[in-house]
Amino acid sequence: MGVRGLQGFVGSACPHTRTAVNFKELAELHRNQHPGCAPTVVVDAMCCLRYWYTPESWVCGGQWREYFAALRDFVKAFTTVGIKLVFFFDGMVEQGKRAVWVRRRLKNNQEIARIFHYIKSHREQPGRNMFFLPSGLAIFTRFALKTLGQETLCSLQEADYEVASYGLQHNCLGILGEDTDYLIYDTCPYFSISELCLDSLDTVMLCREKLCESLELSLADLPLLACLLGNDTVPEGLFESFRFQCLSSYTSARKNSDKRGNVILAVADHISKVLRLHQGEKKLEEMLPLGQNKALFYKGVASYLLPGQTSPWIFQKPIGITTLGKQIVSVSTDPEFKPESLVCTHPESKEETPVCTHPETEQEDPMNVEPEMKQQVTMVSDTEILKVARAQHVQAESYLVYGVMTSGEIECSNTLEDALDQALPSQAFVYRPMRQRVYSLLLGAGGGGASGGPVVREWFVHSGNPLRHPDLVRPLPMNVPGCWPGWCVSRHSSACARKEPLQSTDMMLEHVEPRAVQLDSLLVRDLSMLVLVNSACGFPWSSSDFMPWNVFDGKLFHEKYLQSDRGYTAEVLVEQDRSRLTRFHDLKSIVCKACVREDRHIVSRQHWRPHHSGRWERQGSGSHRTNSGHSRSGRRQHWRDQGPGSRQCEPGWWRRHSPSSGHPDEKGKQQPISLSP
């Protein structure tokens, strides 16, 4: 995230760029300088998630009530001193940054594998040094902040550009986050979330002006420096040999800088003493070894230009950059084209037009999104529907719907799933039929067969998926009279959310069970799928009905799993509550009937015999399983052998290759599903 090596460089070689500040004092100063204008901090929420999540337990699916309370305290600390907060979340992954997204997801897979190895070895949660965000945290944080009355926005691409743009256009007090890209943007001041002390509102401001002073650069040079060092647009390895040449000829290496720090100094020195000599006379491709990467490099430099800003380094604008909500940059091959004519604009800006064009190009109304929608190839052609979906997306009211309707491409990040557990399916497969029905609702089911109808590209992380290509998933037709989907959503709160935060904090687990950890995450992902269903159906249910702080507590769920594994009866598990016991048996009946329809045999994982009040004791050891015959649809492929990539997933595909149908034994038959009583 951000500019490669810049974070460490600022901390070690340029400590004077870091200034201790206090938000309360800054707010007072802002009010004095701008009477009638509330001091506003724009927050890059994705950077802040790991700092907001303060509950001790994280591996069991999340302590959501504690987390909600922590968010409430965070908001209160700022609003008490009169500071307004505006939160931005990543809404979509830009195509040019998909490779970076994939690389991070694969790295996360390795971290998750280490977490499960630790749990199996120690039967406890790893330390904070192995901390991993609970599944669905980003999704539900949006709704938590909206519940707390905060302005919450979802970007139309990665959020950093829109955060920087918002901060500049609205004269904000500053940006709160943890991304060195904010040192590159010429925008309002940048404050560190990692240095924030919530009690005092003290933090550290990272000053881009002082960074420029140290590097002998101007603010307009920083985008060029960022691209030469490597960022999320320009891969770090692209200019490795160029940086080595700069370092070889650099004679002022600092003793207090490591090799990477001296590379930054050397590249900055080359910009200030070599490239600047020919600025305005030669194009960048004449001074730098851009080669076939010229368009990508120009795109990287232009990506830092906010509405109304220009770059003295750009002679030719990059090819074919068109994104909703961001500057739209076209090509100029005109030899008379001058750098000052490059004015990047933004759809939300009232001062500029939403397109970077030549003077003869027709300008568009910045507040009218229809032309943009017509230019973009979308899955849904009705512009009125797209406008509504776009508004709901930007206001962080919906989930995944806008991506399905526009690009037909969605993604889901890592989930705490054990790659070595062959019995449990990944949430990517478990909830695919639900998503397929949503696609049918939004896009139509198509003409049937492998070649007909729309296809949604799913980038869902699961074990064995190298993410080289998206899964191509077709809608699953719904046999429902009329046009309204027959979703079944319980509006009753779960029995696993009745403990107050203090009680849950004090709860001590006997040990941590890896299978329960994955089930924790599976359940939370289920709640996120309900958000998707609700969004696609036009919000027929109150979103509070499936917010995790209202229906789920990770430690409590884990404790109930362990009790069930030890043989506690259903009556004891629901603490003798008759209404919960009735609901439990109703749900169990639904599950059993569904398994019968699918020819999936359910047996108890253990034989039990009565022992004492509410408790059952084991007879013998080991699991008792019997083999079932083949299903109606023949021998089923195990879910982990389904394979990722570009295969087309037709209607009914998942049903034929059900990951939850157990796994084959040595004779090729299906083993039945095993449930604790």
Side-chain angles (χ1 to χ4, degrees):
M1 182 184 294
V3 183
R4 306 300 181 258
L6 190 57
Q7 185 76 36
F9 175 79
V10 168
S12 59
C14 295
H16 63 284
T17 63
R18 298 164 54 88
T19 304
V21 295
N22 180 270
F23 272 120
K24 184 176 181 180
E25 296 172 0
L26 291 175
E28 280 297 321
L29 182 62
H30 188 276
R31 275 188 285 265
N32 292 334
Q33 295 176 344
H34 306 279
C37 179
T40 301
V41 172
V42 55
V43 183
D44 186 338
M46 302 302 290
C47 293
C48 300
L49 292 176
R50 63 176 51 250
Y51 302 101
W52 287 335
Y53 191 87
T54 56
E56 179 273 332
S57 175
W58 51 270
V59 82
C60 297
Q63 296 308 108
W64 290 93
R65 288 196 173 187
E66 293 176 54
Y67 179 60
F68 187 85
L71 288 176
R72 183 173 56 233
D73 292 342
F74 178 86
V75 169
K76 184 178 179 181
F78 283 88
T79 55
T80 298
V81 297
I83 296 178
K84 176 186 176 182
L85 298 174
V86 178
F87 298 87
F88 274 84
F89 287 81
D90 282 341
M92 294 179 180
V93 177
E94 298 178 49
Q95 284 302 315
K97 297 186 178 182
R98 177 62 69 186
V100 176
W101 184 89
V102 167
R103 203 159 50 240
R104 290 172 180 163
R105 303 293 80 75
L106 296 179
K107 181 181 178 182
N108 287 346
N109 279 343
Q110 297 174 357
E111 297 176 12
I112 291 172
R114 288 193 290 269
I115 289 171
F116 275 100
H117 177 75
Y118 184 95
I119 293 172
K120 293 173 184 177
S121 302
H122 299 83
R123 305 187 79 198
E124 65 181 15
Q125 174 180 279
R128 192 77 180 188
N129 62 313
M130 296 179 70
F131 173 74
F132 198 86
L133 294 177
S135 300
L137 195 72
I139 301 166
F140 291 112
T141 301
R142 301 182 204 170
F143 292 94
L145 291 169
K146 292 183 77 68
T147 300
L148 292 169
Q150 299 303 295
E151 184 174 352
T152 308
L153 302 172
C154 197
S155 70
L156 293 165
Q157 67 275 321
E158 287 198 60
D160 56 358
Y161 181 90
E162 295 193 11
V163 167
S165 179
Y166 187 98
L168 177 66
Q169 293 181 36
H170 293 83
N171 194 28
C172 289
L173 181 64
I175 293 168
L176 184 62
E178 203 69 25
D179 188 339
T180 48
D181 276 333
Y182 295 126
L183 275 171
I184 307 300
Y185 288 110
D186 187 3
T187 182
C188 59
Y190 162 43
F191 304 104
S192 170
I193 181 65
S194 66
E195 301 285 350
L196 176 65
C197 174
L198 197 59
D199 292 337
S200 62
L201 289 182
D202 291 330
T203 189
V204 167
M205 178 179 71
L206 294 98
C207 181
R208 59 185 69 90
E209 288 79 11
K210 291 183 179 180
L211 175 64
C212 287
E213 179 184 324
S214 177
L215 298 175
E216 299 182 7
L217 298 176
S218 68
L219 289 174
D221 297 330
L222 291 179
L224 180 61
L225 174 68
C227 292
L228 290 173
L229 295 176
N231 53 25
D232 286 352
T233 300
V234 182
E236 184 178 11
L238 213 57
F239 294 97
E240 186 173 1
S241 59
F242 168 78
R243 292 193 298 270
F244 180 77
Q245 292 174 5
C246 291
L247 185 61
S248 300
S249 60
Y250 183 58
T251 58
S252 304
R254 297 183 185 177
K255 295 181 179 179
N256 61 337
S257 293
D258 56 14
K259 181 180 178 181
R260 187 182 285 268
N262 281 320
V263 166
I264 294 176
L265 291 168
V267 173
D269 184 71
H270 186 83
I271 293 173
S272 63
K273 295 180 180 177
V274 179
L275 299 184
R276 195 177 289 162
L277 291 177
H278 305 285
Q279 189 179 60
E281 299 175 1
K282 293 183 178 181
K283 299 179 181 180
L284 278 177
E285 60 265 30
E286 298 177 86
M287 299 185 287
L288 293 172
L290 301 185
Q292 296 178 345
N293 302 303
K294 180 175 65 174
L296 178 64
F297 189 82
Y298 277 118
K299 175 183 177 181
V301 174
S303 69
Y304 288 108
L305 301 180
L306 301 178
Q309 295 179 349
T310 63
S311 172
W313 292 105
I314 298 182
F315 275 79
Q316 182 177 8
K317 293 176 283 184
I319 299 174
I321 304 174
T322 306
T323 55
L324 278 173
K326 198 168 184 177
Q327 71 263 37
I328 302 177
V329 185
S330 58
V331 176
S332 172
T333 55
D334 185 351
E336 301 300 318
F337 174 75
K338 297 180 181 179
E340 56 267 23
S341 66
L342 177 65
V343 180
C344 286
T345 58
H346 191 278
E348 305 301 328
S349 172
K350 296 181 180 179
E351 291 75 29
E352 304 288 345
T353 62
V355 185
C356 292
T357 62
H358 292 299
E360 65 272 14
T361 304
E362 182 180 356
Q363 297 181 344
E364 298 172 347
D365 179 2
M367 302 309 293
N368 185 1
V369 299
E370 287 189 28
E372 297 178 33
M373 292 180 177
K374 290 178 181 176
Q375 293 171 5
Q376 189 184 36
V377 178
T378 60
M379 303 288 283
V380 174
S381 59
D382 191 315
T383 56
E384 290 302 316
I385 293 178
L386 288 177
K387 286 172 66 176
V388 173
R390 183 182 189 272
Q392 292 174 347
H393 171 89
V394 170
Q395 294 300 319
E397 296 171 351
S398 64
Y399 173 56
L400 296 182
V401 169
Y402 188 62
V404 172
M405 298 177 73
T406 53
S407 65
E409 188 168 36
I410 61 172
E411 56 276 325
C412 181
S413 188
N414 305 76
T415 302
L416 278 178
E417 296 177 335
D418 185 4
L420 300 180
D421 187 340
Q422 295 294 306
L424 285 176
S426 169
Q427 63 90 18
F429 295 112
V430 170
Y431 300 118
R432 176 170 285 171
M434 181 181 288
R435 296 194 301 275
Q436 287 178 284
R437 288 176 170 85
V438 169
Y439 303 157
S440 178
L441 176 68
L442 297 176
L443 307 176
S451 60
V455 172
V456 176
R457 300 184 298 279
E458 290 190 345
W459 294 90
F460 275 61
V461 182
H462 58 81
S463 174
N465 186 1
L467 295 171
R468 296 191 186 96
H469 308 282
D471 289 343
L472 304 182
V473 182
R474 295 191 180 278
L476 190 63
M478 297 180 295
N479 298 319
V480 180
C483 61
W484 198 252
W487 303 109
C488 177
V489 180
S490 172
R491 299 190 63 176
H492 299 289
S493 296
S494 167
C496 287
R498 67 191 177 278
K499 301 288 185 183
E500 291 301 315
L502 182 60
Q503 294 176 276
S504 183
T505 302
D506 295 338
M507 180 185 295
M508 299 295 293
L509 296 175
E510 181 181 295
H511 69 275
V512 173
E513 176 66 35
R515 192 170 195 265
V517 169
Q518 184 161 339
L519 289 174
D520 290 329
S521 299
L522 185 67
L523 197 153
V524 175
R525 288 296 187 193
D526 173 72
L527 297 177
S528 69
M529 287 298 101
L530 292 179
V531 174
L532 169 61
V533 170
N534 200 38
S535 303
C537 294
F539 310 100
W541 307 287
S542 170
S543 61
S544 64
D545 291 338
F546 28 83
M547 291 298 108
W549 51 89
N550 290 329
V551 299
F552 181 77
D553 182 286
K555 284 175 70 175
L556 181 58
F557 178 91
H558 212 96
E559 174 65 18
K560 295 301 179 183
Y561 178 92
L562 296 177
Q563 289 177 353
S564 175
D565 198 49
R566 291 195 297 267
Y568 282 70
T569 63
E571 289 81 359
V572 174
L573 292 176
V574 299
E575 299 176 6
Q576 311 298 334
D577 187 296
R578 289 184 177 274
S579 63
R580 291 180 187 138
L581 183 62
T582 300
R583 193 179 310 157
F584 169 82
H585 286 299
D586 289 343
L587 292 173
K588 182 178 179 181
S589 175
I590 293 172
V591 171
C592 291
K593 290 178 181 177
C595 290
V596 168
R597 286 196 302 270
E598 292 297 311
D599 196 21
R600 300 173 189 170
H601 293 240
I602 302 178
V603 296
S604 296
R605 191 171 59 182
Q606 303 280 356
H607 282 305
W608 307 92
R609 61 180 173 82
H611 178 53
H612 56 78
S613 177
R615 185 74 182 266
W616 294 71
E617 198 172 67
R618 301 182 183 185
Q619 285 184 336
S621 61
S623 300
H624 175 75
R625 294 192 178 188
T626 59
N627 293 329
S628 66
H630 294 284
S631 66
R632 292 190 300 267
S633 40
R635 180 177 175 178
R636 292 175 176 171
Q637 179 184 10
H638 184 252
W639 72 272
R640 291 197 184 274
D641 298 326
Q642 292 170 1
S646 60
R647 68 182 180 279
Q648 293 198 2
C649 306
E650 308 166 31
W653 174 89
W654 188 89
R655 187 176 297 277
R656 294 198 300 273
H657 306 289
S658 173
S660 59
S661 60
H663 56 86
D665 64 6
E666 66 279 2
K667 297 180 181 179
K669 295 183 178 180
Q670 295 293 324
Q671 292 186 345
I673 297 173
S674 171
L675 298 176
S676 296

